[in-house]
Amino acid sequence: MKLVAGNWKMNGSLAANRALLGGLAEVSGVEVAVCVPYPYLAQLQERPAGLGLGAQDVSEYSAGAYTGEVSASMLAEFGCRYVIVGHSERRALFADDDATVGRKALSALQAGLVPIVCVGETLAEREAGQVMSVLGRQLGAVLEVLGAAQLGRVVLAYEPVWAIGSGRSASAAQVGEVHAGIRDWLGARGVAANAVRILYGGSVKADNAAEIFAVRHVDGGLIGGASLIAPEFMAICHAAVA
Ligand code: 13P
């Protein structure tokens, strides 16, 4: 079954969330979750049936004098199943480096959460032919912290930086090539590659979702802007039904 996860990013209000959630309905044959800003985890304790919950970041530390941080066990207490780590916005704007992303993934797993580990290249890196070397570096740092057995328990999200919020999704051929490359990379390092769900993220909309979800090795999507519009998000969820 595919996984469609909405990443609300830093959007929403109590009223706007209520309206959005009111437009979501259970879809069978696909797993659906929303990753919301921390304060709204409380509001999301009541949510449509079948809708899973996640956060967008987590501390690498478990407790203590870390002002402003939120621990994985706190997220677990609020019913989170997922937490995004290593989103390109956090890497670019908040200095989350490869090793930090690995430690955040570990702290999530230790609290029983499933980290959605994001990887992806910039346009300059793609044009320089460095896609798999960049992904290998990002994944390698996570492998180093988690080891192969635990890396087999994460969800990966391939999010090319140039496709995020740009309206320009990667093509089906580009997505297929990279997802196959990730699967091979994992298998070559002793990770149970077929157990790892690999999502695609970057300008997934209602009108291109079916084409992307049909690509081999695409196990779902991580949806930004379109997850804030109930009919769009619902259409994407329906496109992911096998
Ligand atoms: P968009 O769907 O808005 O391009 O964002 C993708 C993303 O960053 C999801 O994490």
Side-chain angles (χ1 to χ4, degrees):
M1 185 160 23
K2 285 191 176 16
L3 168 62
V4 174
N7 174 8
W8 288 5
K9 308 193 180 184
M10 199 174 74
N11 292 294
S13 67
L14 292 170
N17 302 347
R18 205 173 302 123
L20 173 58
L21 293 167
L24 303 184
E26 190 164 8
V27 183
S28 57
V30 58
E31 184 184 350
V32 181
V34 286
C35 297
V36 307
Y38 294 136
Y40 299 139
L41 292 173
Q43 183 184 21
L44 269 285
Q45 296 306 294
E46 269 183 55
R47 57 187 182 273
L51 183 65
L53 190 59
Q56 301 170 13
D57 190 26
V58 66
S59 180
E60 64 185 276
Y61 304 108
S62 57
Y66 302 104
T67 301
E69 291 284 274
V70 173
S71 74
S73 63
M74 294 171 187
L75 300 180
E77 276 192 305
F78 277 83
C80 285
R81 170 161 175 74
Y82 295 104
V83 60
I84 297 168
V85 299
H87 192 279
S88 66
E89 289 150 15
R90 294 220 55 90
R91 293 177 188 263
L93 302 172
F94 303 101
D96 279 10
D97 62 19
D98 295 331
T100 304
V101 173
R103 291 192 298 270
K104 287 183 171 185
L106 178 63
S107 91
L109 285 168
Q110 286 172 337
L113 305 179
V114 177
I116 300 176
V117 179
C118 300
V119 296
E121 82 288 355
T122 63
L123 190 57
E125 289 163 341
R126 171 165 283 272
E127 286 172 346
Q130 296 169 344
V131 175
M132 274 319 295
S133 68
V134 168
L135 268 50
R137 191 201 73 223
Q138 294 171 336
L139 291 169
V142 178
L143 174 62
E144 198 163 301
V145 178
L146 298 188
Q150 293 207 96
L151 186 53
R153 295 168 52 210
V154 313
V155 171
L156 294 179
Y158 170 53
E159 295 209 313
V161 176
W162 48 272
I164 293 174
S166 65
R168 178 183 166 201
S169 157
S171 69
Q174 289 170 325
V175 174
E177 187 183 1
V178 174
H179 280 230
I182 292 172
R183 195 84 73 195
D184 288 347
W185 188 98
L186 294 169
R189 284 156 186 83
V191 179
N194 290 325
V196 176
R197 288 202 278 191
I198 308 176
L199 313 182
Y200 168 78
S203 295
V204 178
K205 308 287 174 199
D207 61 8
N208 63 9
E211 188 191 1
I212 290 168
F213 292 151
V215 175
R216 196 152 179 258
H217 299 300
V218 173
D219 304 311
L222 187 54
I223 318 299
S227 74
L228 299 171
I229 305 163
E232 273 280 312
F233 191 57
M234 283 289 88
I236 292 167
C237 294
H238 282 287
V241 175

